[in-house]
């Protein structure tokens, strides 16, 4: 089945296997030097209402490498600070000719009203609260596919702050659809029944011996006052951190992933961040190419790139 090319990218909820594999193929082509040419001058703006290094920078790099002209946006100097709604800000960008808005916002599902308004400007979700992070999820799929060449039957462990993690929610949904088996390890305070339908909860000591991928989540220190006011970093590391001892128990084919920024010595021993089985910095590199693929699909849907741009991107299949 051919992947559907969409006007917006806000969630993994509607992504099929074909969609994921088409994007991986296209991202791989960009990694190998693929070039595109826009049919007219096109414009993007990145509206980040939460701090970001990787996502913001890789989107901007992706935009510039595709030939998009990137307009600056600063929350503190924008009309948002005067009380303007997000919807009116985005409509303003549309009115002045911006083609794509990449938005990160602390509110879950912030994008729903924008989609309901059926705007001409395209929306790319750079992360909404604890809801979705589609571009991170897709770059994670790319990293896993590069390693194993398939998803079906892979055992994926997701470890840490599940409650606040849009990465965990996006990845458990997409990986399950692609045929992987999920396992979780998390403190009681950061675990809830919503995760049970996606996989079993284990101790980290059990999990590390069983998984092809160990996906560590960032401890979100900015939220600890709300959910875990007496957080003990050493105790967390002892129970839920990837220590040298746990690393030695990983299967030989297993890889380590983390969406970053990494809290060294909390989620993972510092020495393991650059270990032979770590793919943490590979994820970051893949992020730019995957975001080029996401933006390219949107540009094709908007008629700003030729459909020929996507020729040859549907060749991947899921191996069983």
């Amino acid at each position: 089945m051919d992947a559907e090319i969409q006007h917006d990218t806000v969630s993994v909820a509607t992504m099929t296997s074909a969609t994921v594999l088409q994007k991986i193929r296209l991202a791989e082509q960009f990694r190998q030097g693929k070039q595109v040419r826009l049919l007219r001058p096109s414009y993007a703006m990145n509206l980040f209402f939460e701090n970001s290094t990787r996502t913001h920078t890789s989107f901007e790099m992706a935009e510039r490498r595709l030939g998009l002209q990137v307009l600056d946006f600063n929350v503190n100097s924008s009309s948002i600070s005067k009380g303007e709604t997000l919807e009116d800000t985005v409509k303003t960008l549309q009115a002045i000719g911006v083609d794509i808005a990449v938005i990160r916002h602390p509110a879950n599902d912030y994008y729903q009203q924008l989609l309901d308004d059926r705007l001409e400007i395209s929306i790319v979700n750079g992360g909404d609260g604890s809801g979705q992070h589609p571009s991170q999820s897709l770059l994670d799929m790319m990293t896993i596919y590069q390693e194993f060449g398939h998803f079906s039957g892979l055992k994926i462990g997701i470890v840490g702050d599940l409650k606040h993690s849009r990465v965990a929610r996006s990845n458990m949904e997409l990986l399950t659809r692609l045929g992987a088996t999920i396992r979780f390890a998390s403190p009681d305070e950061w675990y809830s029944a919503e995760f049970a339908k996606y996989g079993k909860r284990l101790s980290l000591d059990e999990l590390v011996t069983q998984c092809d991928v160990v996906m560590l989540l960032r401890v979100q220190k900015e939220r600890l006052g709300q959910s875990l006011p007496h957080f003990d970093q050493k105790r967390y590391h002892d129970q839920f951190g990837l220590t040298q001892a746990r690393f030695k128990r990983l299967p030989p084919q297993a890889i380590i992933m983390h969406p970053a920024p990494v809290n060294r010595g909390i989620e993972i021993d510092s020495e393991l961040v650059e270990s032979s089985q770590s793919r943490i910095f590979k994820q970051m590199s893949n992020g730019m190419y995957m975001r080029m693929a996401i933006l390219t699909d949107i540009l094709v849907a908007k008629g700003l790139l030729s459909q020929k741009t996507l020729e040859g991107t549907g060749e991947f299949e899921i191996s069983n």
Side-chain angles (χ1 to χ4, degrees):
M1 181 176 65
D2 292 336
E4 181 182 358
I5 307 303
Q6 296 182 325
H7 182 278
D8 307 285
T9 300
V10 297
S11 170
V12 304
T14 60
M15 291 183 186
T16 64
S17 298
T19 298
V20 174
L21 295 174
Q22 178 267 338
K23 283 183 166 57
I24 292 174
R25 175 69 176 181
L26 185 53
E28 283 287 352
Q29 289 184 337
F30 282 124
R31 190 174 68 86
Q32 295 167 21
K34 180 183 180 72
Q35 302 286 319
V36 299
R37 179 172 294 181
L38 293 163
L39 299 178
R40 67 156 171 82
S42 304
Y43 302 88
M45 184 174 277
N46 303 311
L47 293 78
F48 276 62
F49 296 87
E50 293 181 328
N51 294 335
S52 171
T53 300
R54 273 146 294 276
T55 304
H56 189 286
T57 304
S58 65
F59 261 117
E60 182 165 345
M61 182 66 80
E63 290 154 359
R64 292 187 184 279
R65 290 184 66 151
L66 291 171
L68 287 159
Q69 298 185 48
V70 184
L71 283 69
D72 291 333
F73 177 81
N74 184 300
V75 174
N76 294 327
S77 60
S78 74
S79 291
I80 293 278
S81 64
K82 300 177 181 178
E84 184 175 63
T85 65
L86 176 62
E87 289 78 13
D88 282 346
T89 294
V90 173
K91 289 175 182 177
T92 298
L93 302 183
Q94 174 177 277
I96 64 175
V98 175
D99 297 292
I100 300 175
V102 179
I103 305 174
R104 171 172 289 187
H105 199 280
N108 284 16
D109 304 324
Y110 74 82
Y111 50 80
Q112 194 56 58
Q113 182 59 56
L114 298 173
L115 298 185
D116 291 345
D117 288 343
R118 298 184 179 276
L119 303 174
E120 288 299 317
I121 189 172
S122 290
I123 306 301
V124 179
N125 181 14
D128 63 297
S130 59
Q132 288 278 319
H133 200 344
S135 66
Q136 178 70 46
S137 189
L138 286 167
L139 74 88
D140 287 347
M141 300 307 107
M142 180 180 180
T143 306
I144 293 169
Y145 197 90
Q146 286 172 334
E147 198 72 28
F148 299 101
H150 65 96
F151 298 98
S152 183
L154 290 179
K155 298 178 177 64
I156 315 292
I158 304 179
V159 181
D161 186 358
L162 302 172
K163 179 178 180 180
H164 299 113
S165 179
R166 51 194 169 219
V167 176
R169 287 183 171 85
S170 295
N171 279 350
M172 68 186 186
E173 183 177 343
L174 201 50
L175 284 164
T176 300
R177 193 174 305 139
L178 291 165
T181 299
I182 310 297
R183 296 289 181 262
F184 299 107
S186 177
D188 291 342
E189 296 88 347
W190 294 337
Y191 183 85
S192 63
E194 69 175 297
F195 300 103
K197 68 178 181 178
Y198 290 97
K200 294 180 181 179
R201 186 184 181 199
L202 306 174
S203 71
L204 183 55
D205 288 314
E206 292 177 277
L207 183 147
V208 294
T209 65
Q210 301 179 15
C211 288
D212 300 298
V213 179
V214 176
M215 192 174 289
L216 306 167
L217 302 173
R218 181 174 70 89
V219 172
Q220 301 190 39
K221 296 178 180 180
E222 67 273 19
R223 304 182 193 270
L224 292 182
Q226 303 170 31
S227 64
L228 209 60
H230 305 298
F231 179 71
D232 185 321
Q233 294 185 8
K234 184 180 184 306
R235 183 180 178 187
Y236 179 88
H237 183 63
D238 289 344
Q239 291 185 303
F240 297 101
L242 186 61
T243 61
Q244 293 280 358
R246 291 186 177 115
F247 175 75
K248 292 175 182 177
R249 299 177 65 202
L250 288 173
Q253 79 280 5
I255 60 171
I256 302 162
M257 298 177 65
H258 192 302
V262 177
N263 292 306
R264 292 174 182 251
I266 300 179
E267 298 116 18
I268 182 172
D269 279 351
S270 184
E271 297 81 3
L272 298 179
V273 174
E274 290 94 359
S275 67
S276 61
Q277 289 173 266
S278 172
R279 299 296 181 269
I280 295 172
F281 288 99
K282 186 62 176 288
Q283 289 173 263
M284 299 177 198
S285 177
N286 285 339
M288 180 188 66
Y289 299 115
M290 179 52 73
R291 287 167 178 131
M292 290 178 75
I294 290 168
L295 293 165
T296 294
D297 282 343
I298 289 172
L299 291 167
V300 169
K302 294 174 75 68
L304 300 175
L305 279 175
S306 168
Q307 181 70 34
K308 292 182 180 180
T309 298
L310 302 181
E311 286 182 357
T313 61
E315 299 171 10
F316 281 4
E317 294 180 357
I318 296 181
S319 302
N320 291 317

